[in-house]
Amino acid sequence: VGVGGCYSIDALSFAAALYGAYRLPRMVMRTEQAPRAGLRAVADGLSYLMHTAPVRGALLTDLATTVLTMPISLFPLINAERFGGNPRTLGLFLAAIAVGGVTASVFSGAFTRLPRPGAVMLLGSSIWGASLLLLGLVPNAWLGLGCLAVAGAADTLAVVSRSTVVQLNTPNEMLGRVAAAEQIAGQAGPELGNLRAGLTAAATSGSVALVSGGVLCLAALALIVVKTPQLREFTRPVAAAEPAQPVGVA
């Protein structure tokens, strides 16, 4: 449909997202305990992150997957080194992660209802790292696209589960500061990961950058599993069932 058509589709998708946000119900700010302002509030948030094992483990897991394995900066090099430098192949590589992520989002009910979101996050992060490791080894472009689609689905699995872990382990008065730290990690991690991948590829090759990143990611996740059992064992609270009414009572 051409460049103009692509941008038109992009604009319509943003319009749909804005409409969805507009239709959200009005939220009332809770003011039972006003947070402290300034640097002391930041210090409180950092202290909470460091001393709350499930939250700390969730953010470290996110950083391990993004800083060590983010592959986007490598796509042009991988395409040139191994798949003939075809621009159409490169375009498919850039889209494959999103295809996997959207597909996982459609079926997200299959994992959002699971009782242990920390374990689900660790599983999704491990699949992400293994998929990108395999991308550095597969000889065929279609197999590479399959690896990226699986990685995208695993990323959605991990991100949704991470948000669940963080929110269920954070009191209301700390949510703003913890969410800010989560957002910083989510934005800085991929950029640092692309830098790591580019520097490694410049010294070796694109394939080595992918494989080494995947190996380091899986090793880091194994360390988090061992050192932060509270993350993998965290179980979402179950709402208490209403007591059954006696027979004959309205």
Side-chain angles (χ1 to χ4, degrees):
V1 296
V3 174
C6 290
Y7 276 108
S8 298
I9 294 170
D10 202 25
L12 288 174
S13 71
F14 273 94
L18 290 172
Y19 175 74
Y22 173 75
R23 292 299 304 271
L24 288 172
R26 184 179 300 276
M27 297 180 67
V28 179
M29 175 93 51
R30 296 183 179 180
T31 58
E32 295 91 345
Q33 183 176 351
R36 292 188 294 180
L39 294 178
R40 294 196 66 182
V42 176
D44 289 344
L46 292 175
S47 176
Y48 183 83
L49 287 174
M50 294 301 297
H51 293 92
T52 308
V55 177
R56 182 181 69 244
L59 294 184
L60 288 175
T61 299
D62 184 58
L63 287 173
T65 54
T66 54
V67 173
L68 297 176
T69 57
M70 186 54 60
I72 306 300
S73 64
L74 297 175
F75 285 170
L77 179 60
I78 292 292
N79 186 44
E81 283 181 349
R82 308 182 59 195
F83 304 120
N86 189 323
R88 293 183 180 274
T89 304
L90 177 59
L92 291 174
F93 269 58
L94 291 168
I97 291 180
V99 169
V102 170
T103 302
S105 298
V106 172
F107 298 100
S108 60
F111 60 85
T112 54
R113 296 186 180 92
L114 295 176
R116 295 174 63 184
V120 173
M121 179 187 182
L122 290 166
L123 174 63
S125 299
S126 299
I127 295 173
W128 162 272
S131 298
L132 295 175
L133 188 158
L134 289 175
L135 175 63
L137 299 174
V138 294
N140 180 275
W142 289 107
L143 291 175
L145 290 171
C147 290
L148 287 173
V150 171
D155 182 52
T156 296
L157 189 79
V159 168
V160 172
S161 301
R162 182 197 72 210
S163 296
T164 302
V165 170
V166 170
Q167 292 183 27
L168 290 179
N169 283 279
T170 306
N172 289 333
E173 63 272 15
M174 298 295 295
L175 272 175
R177 281 161 281 183
V178 172
E182 186 182 11
Q183 185 176 15
I184 290 171
Q187 292 181 347
E191 298 299 333
L192 292 173
N194 282 318
L195 175 62
R196 182 217 66 87
L199 292 175
T200 305
T204 55
S205 68
S207 296
V208 170
L210 281 172
V211 172
S212 63
V215 170
L216 289 172
C217 174
L218 294 175
L221 292 175
L223 185 62
I224 292 171
V225 169
V226 172
K227 294 294 185 180
T228 316
Q230 299 90 336
L231 176 61
R232 71 172 188 270
E233 296 171 359
F234 171 70
T235 303
R236 70 170 70 243
V238 179
E242 295 183 1
Q245 292 187 347
V247 177
V249 176

